[in-house]
Amino acid sequence: MTLSCLSVFFLASLLSYSVHCRPAGFHLRNMDSFIQAVRQVEDSNPGLTPLALVRALRRTAGHDDAMTIHFLGSSYNLTDGEVLEKAILNVSSFSFFDKAIYHIVTDHGEERGVILAPDGTTVALAPLLLGIESGLKANMEGTPAVGIFPLTLGRTLGLSFLSLQDFPPSHRLGPNGCWDSVNHPKIFKLSRPATLATDAVINGGMDGVILGINLSNLNGSEQPQALSEILKGYYSFNLHEGEGLDAITALISPRRRELSKAKLESLDLYTKVMETLALVWKLEKTEWIAHDTGVGKAVKDGLRVFTHKYWDCPQIIPRCQWGAKAPQGTPIPLSLPLQFLYVHHTYEPSSPCLSFPKCSRDMRAMQRFHQDDRGWSDIGYSFVVGSDGYIYEGRGWNHLGTHTRGHNDMGYGVSFIGNYTTTLPSRHAMDLLRHRLVRCAVDGGGLVANFTIHGHRQMVNYTPCPGDAFFSEIRTWEHFRERE
Protein backbone atom coordinates (compact mmCIF):
# COMPACT_ATOMS: atom_id res chain seq x y z
CA MET A 1 0.00 0.00 0.00
CA THR A 2 1.48 3.38 -1.01
CA LEU A 3 1.61 6.47 1.18
CA SER A 4 -0.88 8.26 -1.07
CA CYS A 5 -3.29 5.39 -0.72
CA LEU A 6 -2.83 5.46 3.06
CA SER A 7 -3.68 9.16 3.08
CA VAL A 8 -6.88 8.42 1.19
CA PHE A 9 -7.74 5.68 3.69
CA PHE A 10 -7.14 8.12 6.56
CA LEU A 11 -9.40 10.77 5.05
CA ALA A 12 -12.01 8.20 4.17
CA SER A 13 -12.00 6.78 7.68
CA LEU A 14 -12.82 10.22 9.03
CA LEU A 15 -15.81 10.34 6.71
CA SER A 16 -16.74 6.67 7.26
CA TYR A 17 -16.29 5.78 3.58
CA SER A 18 -14.68 2.65 2.20
CA VAL A 19 -12.03 2.91 -0.53
CA HIS A 20 -9.76 0.80 -2.68
CA CYS A 21 -6.21 1.56 -3.74
CA ARG A 22 -6.17 3.49 -6.99
CA PRO A 23 -5.03 1.66 -10.10
CA ALA A 24 -1.48 1.70 -11.36
CA GLY A 25 -0.74 4.64 -13.64
CA PHE A 26 -2.65 7.24 -11.61
CA HIS A 27 0.69 8.65 -10.45
CA LEU A 28 1.41 9.81 -14.02
CA ARG A 29 0.51 13.37 -14.86
CA ASN A 30 -0.98 12.89 -18.30
CA MET A 31 -4.44 13.30 -19.76
CA ASP A 32 -4.96 9.56 -20.24
CA SER A 33 -4.54 8.96 -16.50
CA PHE A 34 -6.92 11.79 -15.70
CA ILE A 35 -9.58 10.52 -18.12
CA GLN A 36 -9.18 7.01 -16.69
CA ALA A 37 -9.78 8.33 -13.17
CA VAL A 38 -12.83 10.31 -14.30
CA ARG A 39 -14.24 7.25 -16.06
CA GLN A 40 -13.87 5.19 -12.88
CA VAL A 41 -16.01 7.71 -11.02
CA GLU A 42 -18.62 7.61 -13.80
CA ASP A 43 -18.67 3.82 -13.95
CA SER A 44 -19.14 3.59 -10.19
CA ASN A 45 -22.01 6.11 -10.28
CA PRO A 46 -24.13 5.57 -13.42
CA GLY A 47 -26.56 8.38 -12.56
CA LEU A 48 -23.86 11.02 -12.06
CA THR A 49 -24.27 13.92 -14.50
CA PRO A 50 -21.19 15.62 -16.03
CA LEU A 51 -22.15 18.87 -14.30
CA ALA A 52 -22.37 17.17 -10.90
CA LEU A 53 -19.03 15.47 -11.45
CA VAL A 54 -17.17 18.58 -12.53
CA ARG A 55 -18.58 20.39 -9.49
CA ALA A 56 -17.33 17.57 -7.30
CA LEU A 57 -13.86 17.93 -8.82
CA ARG A 58 -13.93 21.66 -8.06
CA ARG A 59 -14.82 20.84 -4.46
CA THR A 60 -12.04 18.27 -4.23
CA ALA A 61 -9.44 20.81 -5.39
CA GLY A 62 -10.80 23.57 -3.16
CA HIS A 63 -11.48 26.01 -6.01
CA ASP A 64 -14.24 28.02 -4.35
CA ASP A 65 -12.81 31.52 -4.66
CA ALA A 66 -15.06 34.58 -4.73
CA MET A 67 -15.28 34.88 -8.53
CA THR A 68 -16.02 31.18 -9.04
CA ILE A 69 -18.79 31.31 -6.47
CA HIS A 70 -20.13 34.50 -8.11
CA PHE A 71 -20.59 32.72 -11.45
CA LEU A 72 -21.04 29.05 -10.49
CA GLY A 73 -22.16 29.01 -6.86
CA SER A 74 -20.44 27.26 -4.00
CA SER A 75 -19.61 23.61 -4.49
CA TYR A 76 -20.23 23.10 -0.75
CA ASN A 77 -23.89 24.08 -0.89
CA LEU A 78 -25.05 21.34 -3.22
CA THR A 79 -27.78 18.92 -2.22
CA ASP A 80 -25.88 16.00 -3.72
CA GLY A 81 -22.54 17.02 -2.23
CA GLU A 82 -22.27 14.01 0.08
CA VAL A 83 -23.01 11.60 -2.77
CA LEU A 84 -20.39 13.26 -4.94
CA GLU A 85 -17.73 13.12 -2.27
CA LYS A 86 -18.46 9.43 -1.80
CA ALA A 87 -18.16 8.91 -5.54
CA ILE A 88 -14.66 10.29 -5.59
CA LEU A 89 -13.45 8.56 -2.46
CA ASN A 90 -14.99 5.22 -3.34
CA VAL A 91 -12.64 4.90 -6.32
CA SER A 92 -9.78 6.07 -4.13
CA SER A 93 -9.01 8.96 -6.46
CA PHE A 94 -9.32 11.85 -4.00
CA SER A 95 -5.58 12.39 -3.66
CA PHE A 96 -5.02 12.03 -7.39
CA PHE A 97 -7.69 14.59 -8.30
CA ASP A 98 -6.50 17.04 -5.66
CA LYS A 99 -2.92 16.95 -6.94
CA ALA A 100 -3.94 16.91 -10.60
CA ILE A 101 -6.22 19.97 -10.43
CA TYR A 102 -4.81 22.29 -7.75
CA HIS A 103 -2.47 24.69 -9.55
CA ILE A 104 0.73 26.06 -8.01
CA VAL A 105 4.30 26.92 -9.04
CA THR A 106 6.95 26.01 -6.48
CA ASP A 107 9.99 28.09 -5.58
CA HIS A 108 12.05 25.66 -7.67
CA GLY A 109 10.06 26.32 -10.85
CA GLU A 110 7.97 23.14 -10.79
CA GLU A 111 4.46 23.76 -12.07
CA ARG A 112 1.82 21.53 -10.49
CA GLY A 113 -1.82 21.13 -11.41
CA VAL A 114 -0.84 20.61 -15.04
CA ILE A 115 -0.88 17.49 -17.18
CA LEU A 116 0.64 16.37 -20.47
CA ALA A 117 -1.88 16.07 -23.31
CA PRO A 118 -1.44 13.38 -25.99
CA ASP A 119 -0.57 16.08 -28.56
CA GLY A 120 2.57 17.04 -26.61
CA THR A 121 1.24 20.24 -25.06
CA THR A 122 0.76 20.92 -21.36
CA VAL A 123 -2.59 21.93 -19.90
CA ALA A 124 -3.65 23.31 -16.51
CA LEU A 125 -6.81 21.49 -15.46
CA ALA A 126 -8.38 24.19 -13.27
CA PRO A 127 -9.31 26.69 -16.04
CA LEU A 128 -10.26 23.82 -18.36
CA LEU A 129 -12.74 22.38 -15.86
CA LEU A 130 -14.13 25.81 -14.93
CA GLY A 131 -14.90 26.43 -18.60
CA ILE A 132 -16.62 23.06 -18.92
CA GLU A 133 -18.63 23.64 -15.74
CA SER A 134 -19.69 27.10 -16.92
CA GLY A 135 -20.87 25.69 -20.24
CA LEU A 136 -22.77 22.80 -18.66
CA LYS A 137 -24.43 25.09 -16.11
CA ALA A 138 -25.54 27.54 -18.79
CA ASN A 139 -26.91 24.73 -20.93
CA MET A 140 -28.83 23.17 -18.06
CA GLU A 141 -30.33 26.49 -16.93
CA GLY A 142 -30.86 27.91 -20.41
CA THR A 143 -28.93 31.08 -19.52
CA PRO A 144 -26.03 32.89 -21.23
CA ALA A 145 -22.61 31.50 -20.32
CA VAL A 146 -21.34 34.83 -18.98
CA GLY A 147 -18.70 33.31 -16.72
CA ILE A 148 -16.69 31.36 -19.28
CA PHE A 149 -14.20 34.05 -20.29
CA PRO A 150 -13.65 35.57 -16.81
CA LEU A 151 -13.10 32.15 -15.20
CA THR A 152 -10.89 30.62 -17.90
CA LEU A 153 -8.78 33.53 -19.18
CA GLY A 154 -10.04 36.97 -18.14
CA ARG A 155 -9.03 37.06 -14.48
CA THR A 156 -5.70 35.34 -15.01
CA LEU A 157 -4.70 37.51 -17.96
CA GLY A 158 -5.75 40.75 -16.30
CA LEU A 159 -3.92 40.07 -13.05
CA SER A 160 -0.84 38.83 -14.91
CA PHE A 161 -0.73 42.06 -16.96
CA LEU A 162 -0.91 44.15 -13.78
CA SER A 163 1.42 42.13 -11.58
CA LEU A 164 4.50 42.68 -13.75
CA GLN A 165 4.14 46.26 -14.98
CA ASP A 166 7.84 46.93 -14.42
CA PHE A 167 8.67 44.14 -16.89
CA PRO A 168 8.43 44.29 -20.69
CA PRO A 169 4.95 43.21 -21.90
CA SER A 170 6.49 40.10 -23.50
CA HIS A 171 7.47 38.85 -20.01
CA ARG A 172 4.00 39.23 -18.48
CA LEU A 173 2.80 35.92 -19.92
CA GLY A 174 4.28 32.41 -19.92
CA PRO A 175 6.60 30.64 -19.86
CA ASN A 176 6.47 27.12 -21.23
CA GLY A 177 8.49 24.28 -19.77
CA CYS A 178 9.34 20.60 -20.16
CA TRP A 179 8.54 17.30 -18.50
CA ASP A 180 11.04 14.97 -16.90
CA SER A 181 9.71 12.29 -19.28
CA VAL A 182 7.01 12.42 -21.94
CA ASN A 183 6.41 8.67 -21.57
CA HIS A 184 6.11 8.74 -17.77
CA PRO A 185 5.50 12.41 -16.89
CA LYS A 186 5.73 13.30 -13.22
CA ILE A 187 7.53 16.67 -12.96
CA PHE A 188 7.04 19.76 -15.14
CA LYS A 189 9.73 22.45 -14.85
CA LEU A 190 9.34 25.95 -16.27
CA SER A 191 12.01 27.51 -18.47
CA ARG A 192 12.05 30.80 -16.51
CA PRO A 193 10.24 32.39 -13.54
CA ALA A 194 6.47 32.05 -13.87
CA THR A 195 3.85 34.69 -14.39
CA LEU A 196 0.28 34.13 -13.23
CA ALA A 197 -0.55 33.09 -16.79
CA THR A 198 1.90 30.34 -17.68
CA ASP A 199 1.59 28.64 -21.08
CA ALA A 200 -0.14 25.68 -19.42
CA VAL A 201 -2.68 27.96 -17.73
CA ILE A 202 -3.40 29.73 -21.02
CA ASN A 203 -3.70 26.39 -22.85
CA GLY A 204 -6.17 25.20 -20.23
CA GLY A 205 -8.02 28.50 -20.45
CA MET A 206 -8.31 28.35 -24.23
CA ASP A 207 -9.52 24.74 -24.01
CA GLY A 208 -12.04 25.75 -21.36
CA VAL A 209 -13.34 28.52 -23.62
CA ILE A 210 -13.69 26.18 -26.60
CA LEU A 211 -15.39 23.32 -24.76
CA GLY A 212 -17.44 25.57 -22.48
CA ILE A 213 -18.93 27.61 -25.31
CA ASN A 214 -19.62 24.46 -27.31
CA LEU A 215 -21.42 22.82 -24.37
CA SER A 216 -23.43 25.95 -23.64
CA ASN A 217 -24.67 25.99 -27.24
CA LEU A 218 -26.02 22.42 -27.30
CA ASN A 219 -29.65 22.46 -28.37
CA GLY A 220 -32.36 21.07 -26.16
CA SER A 221 -32.41 17.67 -27.82
CA GLU A 222 -28.69 17.09 -27.28
CA GLN A 223 -27.60 15.66 -23.96
CA PRO A 224 -24.04 16.51 -22.88
CA GLN A 225 -21.66 13.56 -23.08
CA ALA A 226 -20.03 12.13 -19.99
CA LEU A 227 -17.08 14.21 -18.81
CA SER A 228 -14.63 11.47 -19.78
CA GLU A 229 -16.05 11.44 -23.32
CA ILE A 230 -15.87 15.23 -23.60
CA LEU A 231 -12.18 15.11 -22.69
CA LYS A 232 -11.43 12.05 -24.80
CA GLY A 233 -13.01 13.54 -27.90
CA TYR A 234 -10.99 16.75 -27.58
CA TYR A 235 -7.60 15.34 -26.55
CA SER A 236 -7.46 11.69 -27.67
CA PHE A 237 -8.15 11.56 -31.39
CA ASN A 238 -6.63 9.78 -34.38
CA LEU A 239 -5.51 11.43 -37.60
CA HIS A 240 -5.50 9.41 -40.79
CA GLU A 241 -2.66 9.16 -43.31
CA GLY A 242 -3.14 11.44 -46.29
CA GLU A 243 -5.79 13.54 -44.57
CA GLY A 244 -4.33 14.89 -41.37
CA LEU A 245 -6.09 17.86 -39.87
CA ASP A 246 -7.63 18.81 -43.21
CA ALA A 247 -10.30 16.14 -42.73
CA ILE A 248 -11.09 17.00 -39.09
CA THR A 249 -14.11 19.19 -38.34
CA ALA A 250 -14.44 18.26 -34.67
CA LEU A 251 -13.05 20.32 -31.81
CA ILE A 252 -9.58 18.94 -31.06
CA SER A 253 -6.62 20.27 -29.10
CA PRO A 254 -4.16 20.91 -32.00
CA ARG A 255 -6.61 23.55 -33.21
CA ARG A 256 -6.91 25.33 -29.82
CA ARG A 257 -5.30 28.54 -31.02
CA GLU A 258 -7.42 28.98 -34.12
CA LEU A 259 -10.58 27.76 -32.35
CA SER A 260 -10.19 30.06 -29.35
CA LYS A 261 -9.42 32.97 -31.65
CA ALA A 262 -12.56 32.25 -33.69
CA LYS A 263 -14.70 32.15 -30.54
CA LEU A 264 -13.22 35.21 -28.81
CA GLU A 265 -11.93 37.51 -31.56
CA SER A 266 -15.34 39.10 -32.11
CA LEU A 267 -15.43 40.19 -28.45
CA ASP A 268 -13.91 43.43 -27.28
CA LEU A 269 -11.23 41.70 -25.21
CA TYR A 270 -10.00 44.94 -23.68
CA THR A 271 -13.48 45.71 -22.34
CA LYS A 272 -13.96 42.11 -21.18
CA VAL A 273 -10.68 42.07 -19.26
CA MET A 274 -11.39 45.48 -17.71
CA GLU A 275 -14.87 44.30 -16.67
CA THR A 276 -13.32 41.19 -15.15
CA LEU A 277 -10.80 43.26 -13.18
CA ALA A 278 -13.60 45.52 -11.95
CA LEU A 279 -15.36 42.41 -10.65
CA VAL A 280 -12.13 41.28 -8.97
CA TRP A 281 -11.92 44.66 -7.24
CA LYS A 282 -15.51 44.32 -6.04
CA LEU A 283 -15.34 40.70 -4.89
CA GLU A 284 -11.81 40.53 -3.54
CA LYS A 285 -11.47 44.10 -2.22
CA THR A 286 -8.20 44.65 -4.09
CA GLU A 287 -8.05 48.42 -3.63
CA TRP A 288 -4.48 48.69 -4.90
CA ILE A 289 -5.66 47.63 -8.35
CA ALA A 290 -8.60 50.01 -8.30
CA HIS A 291 -6.27 52.96 -7.68
CA ASP A 292 -3.62 51.97 -10.23
CA THR A 293 -3.83 54.57 -12.99
CA GLY A 294 -1.80 52.40 -15.37
CA VAL A 295 -4.36 49.59 -15.54
CA GLY A 296 -5.73 50.46 -19.00
CA LYS A 297 -2.31 50.73 -20.62
CA ALA A 298 -1.09 47.51 -18.97
CA VAL A 299 -4.14 45.62 -20.26
CA LYS A 300 -3.75 47.00 -23.80
CA ASP A 301 -0.03 46.15 -23.88
CA GLY A 302 -0.69 42.71 -22.43
CA LEU A 303 -3.44 41.86 -24.90
CA ARG A 304 -1.15 42.75 -27.81
CA VAL A 305 1.34 40.21 -26.47
CA PHE A 306 -1.39 37.64 -25.86
CA THR A 307 -2.86 37.85 -29.37
CA HIS A 308 0.60 37.74 -30.97
CA LYS A 309 1.98 34.88 -28.88
CA TYR A 310 -1.07 32.64 -28.57
CA TRP A 311 -3.21 33.45 -31.62
CA ASP A 312 -0.96 34.75 -34.39
CA CYS A 313 2.01 32.47 -33.65
CA PRO A 314 1.68 28.70 -34.03
CA GLN A 315 2.37 26.37 -31.13
CA ILE A 316 6.04 25.39 -31.30
CA ILE A 317 7.07 22.17 -29.55
CA PRO A 318 10.35 22.97 -27.75
CA ARG A 319 13.51 20.92 -28.15
CA CYS A 320 13.37 19.46 -24.67
CA GLN A 321 9.85 18.19 -25.35
CA TRP A 322 10.75 16.18 -28.47
CA GLY A 323 13.90 14.82 -26.84
CA ALA A 324 16.67 16.77 -28.57
CA LYS A 325 20.29 16.13 -27.69
CA ALA A 326 22.46 19.09 -26.77
CA PRO A 327 24.28 20.84 -29.65
CA GLN A 328 27.85 19.75 -30.21
CA GLY A 329 29.68 22.99 -29.63
CA THR A 330 28.47 26.51 -28.94
CA PRO A 331 25.47 27.72 -31.01
CA ILE A 332 26.22 30.74 -33.19
CA PRO A 333 23.78 33.65 -32.82
CA LEU A 334 21.98 35.08 -35.86
CA SER A 335 21.88 38.78 -36.67
CA LEU A 336 18.16 39.60 -36.84
CA PRO A 337 15.96 40.39 -38.67
CA LEU A 338 16.64 38.05 -41.59
CA GLN A 339 15.72 38.63 -45.22
CA PHE A 340 14.92 35.09 -46.41
CA LEU A 341 12.96 31.96 -45.59
CA TYR A 342 14.07 28.72 -47.29
CA VAL A 343 11.54 25.89 -47.66
CA HIS A 344 12.62 22.23 -47.53
CA HIS A 345 11.12 18.78 -47.28
CA THR A 346 12.85 16.04 -45.30
CA TYR A 347 12.55 13.38 -48.06
CA GLU A 348 13.50 10.95 -45.31
CA PRO A 349 11.41 10.47 -43.19
CA SER A 350 9.24 10.16 -46.28
CA SER A 351 5.79 9.98 -44.64
CA PRO A 352 4.01 12.85 -42.87
CA CYS A 353 3.95 12.48 -39.10
CA LEU A 354 0.45 12.60 -37.63
CA SER A 355 1.07 12.44 -33.89
CA PHE A 356 3.37 13.90 -31.27
CA PRO A 357 5.15 10.56 -30.60
CA LYS A 358 5.78 9.98 -34.34
CA CYS A 359 6.89 13.54 -35.04
CA SER A 360 9.20 13.44 -32.02
CA ARG A 361 10.79 10.18 -33.23
CA ASP A 362 11.30 11.73 -36.66
CA MET A 363 12.96 14.78 -35.11
CA ARG A 364 15.33 12.61 -33.08
CA ALA A 365 16.16 10.51 -36.15
CA MET A 366 16.98 13.61 -38.18
CA GLN A 367 19.12 15.03 -35.42
CA ARG A 368 21.08 11.77 -35.17
CA PHE A 369 21.59 11.74 -38.94
CA HIS A 370 22.72 15.37 -39.06
CA GLN A 371 25.06 15.04 -36.08
CA ASP A 372 26.44 11.52 -36.56
CA ASP A 373 26.42 11.07 -40.36
CA ARG A 374 26.76 14.65 -41.59
CA GLY A 375 29.00 15.79 -38.75
CA TRP A 376 26.94 18.90 -38.06
CA SER A 377 26.66 20.36 -34.58
CA ASP A 378 22.88 19.91 -34.42
CA ILE A 379 19.75 19.23 -36.45
CA GLY A 380 20.17 21.52 -39.45
CA TYR A 381 16.74 23.15 -39.76
CA SER A 382 15.53 26.21 -37.88
CA PHE A 383 12.03 24.72 -37.61
CA VAL A 384 10.26 21.58 -38.80
CA VAL A 385 6.55 21.35 -39.67
CA GLY A 386 4.64 18.21 -38.70
CA SER A 387 1.25 17.12 -39.97
CA ASP A 388 -0.04 16.84 -36.39
CA GLY A 389 -0.85 20.55 -36.16
CA TYR A 390 2.44 21.65 -34.61
CA ILE A 391 5.82 23.12 -35.53
CA TYR A 392 8.92 21.63 -33.92
CA GLU A 393 11.87 23.71 -32.76
CA GLY A 394 15.19 22.95 -34.43
CA ARG A 395 17.88 25.64 -34.16
CA GLY A 396 15.09 28.10 -33.36
CA TRP A 397 14.74 31.83 -33.87
CA ASN A 398 18.16 32.96 -32.70
CA HIS A 399 20.79 30.44 -33.79
CA LEU A 400 22.54 29.77 -37.10
CA GLY A 401 21.34 26.63 -38.86
CA THR A 402 22.86 24.25 -41.41
CA HIS A 403 20.08 24.04 -43.96
CA THR A 404 20.92 26.03 -47.10
CA ARG A 405 24.60 25.99 -48.04
CA GLY A 406 26.06 29.47 -48.41
CA HIS A 407 22.90 31.13 -47.12
CA ASN A 408 22.48 29.87 -43.56
CA ASP A 409 23.13 33.28 -42.02
CA MET A 410 20.67 35.02 -44.35
CA GLY A 411 17.43 33.18 -43.58
CA TYR A 412 15.53 30.55 -41.65
CA GLY A 413 15.37 27.00 -42.98
CA VAL A 414 11.96 25.40 -42.46
CA SER A 415 11.36 21.78 -43.48
CA PHE A 416 8.19 19.71 -43.78
CA ILE A 417 8.36 16.11 -42.61
CA GLY A 418 7.68 13.90 -45.64
CA ASN A 419 8.52 13.44 -49.32
CA TYR A 420 6.59 15.92 -51.46
CA THR A 421 7.82 15.02 -54.92
CA THR A 422 4.38 13.98 -56.14
CA THR A 423 2.05 15.02 -53.32
CA LEU A 424 1.55 18.10 -51.15
CA PRO A 425 1.66 18.49 -47.40
CA SER A 426 -1.74 18.93 -45.81
CA ARG A 427 -3.29 22.36 -46.28
CA HIS A 428 -3.27 22.86 -42.53
CA ALA A 429 0.46 22.12 -42.32
CA MET A 430 1.26 24.52 -45.16
CA ASP A 431 -0.85 27.23 -43.54
CA LEU A 432 1.13 26.85 -40.32
CA LEU A 433 4.15 28.16 -42.22
CA ARG A 434 2.58 30.36 -44.87
CA HIS A 435 0.22 32.31 -42.61
CA ARG A 436 1.27 31.66 -39.01
CA LEU A 437 5.01 31.17 -38.61
CA VAL A 438 5.95 33.94 -41.05
CA ARG A 439 3.60 36.42 -39.40
CA CYS A 440 4.98 35.44 -36.02
CA ALA A 441 8.52 35.96 -37.34
CA VAL A 442 7.79 39.39 -38.83
CA ASP A 443 5.90 40.69 -35.80
CA GLY A 444 8.51 39.23 -33.46
CA GLY A 445 11.47 40.77 -35.27
CA GLY A 446 12.86 37.59 -36.83
CA LEU A 447 12.04 38.41 -40.47
CA VAL A 448 11.86 41.72 -42.30
CA ALA A 449 8.37 42.67 -43.48
CA ASN A 450 9.32 42.29 -47.18
CA PHE A 451 11.02 38.92 -46.70
CA THR A 452 11.54 36.52 -49.60
CA ILE A 453 10.60 32.84 -49.78
CA HIS A 454 12.81 30.50 -51.81
CA GLY A 455 12.73 26.74 -52.28
CA HIS A 456 15.92 24.90 -51.33
CA ARG A 457 16.55 23.96 -55.00
CA GLN A 458 16.83 27.62 -55.97
CA MET A 459 19.84 28.13 -53.72
CA VAL A 460 21.74 24.84 -54.07
CA ASN A 461 22.48 23.01 -57.33
CA TYR A 462 21.50 19.38 -57.88
CA THR A 463 18.81 19.08 -55.20
CA PRO A 464 15.13 18.46 -55.97
CA CYS A 465 14.17 19.75 -52.49
CA PRO A 466 11.43 20.60 -51.51
CA GLY A 467 9.97 18.19 -54.10
CA ASP A 468 8.39 19.01 -57.47
CA ALA A 469 4.80 19.11 -56.25
CA PHE A 470 5.58 21.24 -53.21
CA PHE A 471 7.86 23.61 -55.11
CA SER A 472 5.09 24.25 -57.63
CA GLU A 473 2.83 25.11 -54.70
CA ILE A 474 5.17 27.54 -52.96
CA ARG A 475 5.73 29.38 -56.25
CA THR A 476 2.14 30.64 -55.82
CA TRP A 477 2.79 32.07 -52.34
CA GLU A 478 2.85 35.82 -51.82
CA HIS A 479 6.47 36.23 -50.77
CA PHE A 480 7.94 33.73 -53.23
CA ARG A 481 10.50 35.18 -55.65
CA GLU A 482 12.24 33.63 -58.65
CA ARG A 483 16.01 33.81 -58.42
CA GLU A 484 18.02 35.33 -61.23
Side-chain angles (χ1 to χ4, degrees), residues 63-290:
H63 286 160
D64 266 18
D65 57 84
M67 181 169 285
T68 304
I69 292 173
H70 174 80
F71 286 112
L72 301 178
S74 172
S75 64
Y76 285 87
N77 294 329
L78 302 173
T79 57
D80 54 355
E82 183 177 337
V83 175
L84 299 180
E85 199 158 20
K86 275 187 177 182
I88 293 206
L89 291 174
N90 278 344
V91 295
S92 66
S93 301
F94 181 90
S95 178
F96 171 80
F97 283 129
D98 179 41
K99 292 177 181 177
I101 300 171
Y102 186 76
H103 184 266
I104 190 173
V105 177
T106 71
D107 293 339
H108 302 291
E110 180 186 344
E111 187 172 12
R112 299 175 182 173
V114 300
I115 57 177
L116 177 64
D119 63 3
T121 60
T122 301
V123 177
L125 286 172
L128 164 67
L129 294 174
L130 287 174
I132 291 174
E133 184 177 350
S134 297
L136 290 169
K137 180 175 183 290
N139 177 263
M140 183 191 73
E141 298 176 351
T143 57
V146 294
I148 290 181
F149 178 73
L151 291 173
T152 56
L153 288 173
R155 182 180 185 275
T156 301
L157 289 178
L159 292 179
S160 187
F161 299 156
L162 298 186
S163 65
L164 297 170
Q165 290 188 61
D166 294 335
F167 288 77
S170 60
H171 280 69
R172 296 178 199 170
L173 297 174
N176 201 351
C178 274
W179 291 91
D180 54 340
S181 166
V182 295
N183 295 318
H184 299 90
K186 296 180 181 179
I187 298 174
F188 186 72
K189 294 291 290 291
L190 295 171
S191 60
R192 61 174 172 81
T195 68
L196 294 175
T198 64
D199 279 15
V201 168
I202 292 179
N203 284 343
M206 288 191 287
D207 292 349
V209 165
I210 294 163
L211 294 174
I213 291 177
N214 185 63
L215 289 166
S216 71
N217 290 333
L218 293 177
N219 62 48
S221 62
E222 292 181 89
Q223 289 297 317
Q225 293 178 298
L227 179 60
S228 62
E229 291 302 313
I230 293 171
L231 297 174
K232 181 180 177 182
Y234 185 75
Y235 293 105
S236 301
F237 50 87
N238 291 313
L239 300 180
H240 300 290
E241 192 75 37
E243 297 177 333
L245 287 173
D246 291 353
I248 300 293
T249 59
L251 305 180
I252 58 173
S253 56
R255 291 185 178 271
R256 69 163 57 87
R257 296 193 174 200
E258 60 197 87
L259 289 170
S260 62
K261 181 178 181 180
K263 292 183 180 297
L264 293 176
E265 193 173 30
S266 61
L267 301 179
D268 181 349
L269 285 188
Y270 173 77
T271 298
K272 292 297 183 184
V273 172
M274 292 296 286
E275 289 175 351
T276 302
L277 288 174
L279 185 59
V280 172
W281 302 334
K282 176 182 177 181
L283 296 174
E284 302 181 12
K285 312 299 181 186
T286 48
E287 295 297 329
W288 69 271
I289 298 179

Side-chain angles (χ1 to χ4, degrees), residues 261-374:
K261 181 178 181 180
K263 292 183 180 297
L264 293 176
E265 193 173 30
S266 61
L267 301 179
D268 181 349
L269 285 188
Y270 173 77
T271 298
K272 292 297 183 184
V273 172
M274 292 296 286
E275 289 175 351
T276 302
L277 288 174
L279 185 59
V280 172
W281 302 334
K282 176 182 177 181
L283 296 174
E284 302 181 12
K285 312 299 181 186
T286 48
E287 295 297 329
W288 69 271
I289 298 179
H291 294 105
D292 191 330
T293 57
V295 170
K297 182 179 186 305
V299 170
K300 288 180 181 177
D301 290 344
L303 284 173
R304 279 195 293 269
V305 174
F306 170 75
T307 55
H308 165 73
K309 183 175 181 182
Y310 297 100
W311 283 354
D312 296 338
C313 290
Q315 174 83 55
I316 297 175
I317 303 295
R319 292 171 59 91
C320 57
Q321 195 78 335
W322 59 260
K325 293 181 179 179
Q328 297 171 353
T330 303
I332 301 172
L334 287 166
S335 179
L336 304 178
L338 304 179
Q339 178 68 52
F340 297 94
L341 188 144
Y342 306 115
V343 180
H344 302 247
H345 71 163
T346 62
Y347 190 74
E348 289 291 343
S350 61
S351 298
C353 64
L354 298 171
S355 68
F356 167 68
K358 178 62 166 59
C359 293
S360 297
R361 287 195 297 271
D362 287 348
M363 292 295 292
R364 293 191 295 271
M366 283 187 285
Q367 187 186 39
R368 283 194 300 270
F369 176 68
H370 289 175
Q371 287 182 322
D372 299 344
D373 292 26
R374 293 285 180 87

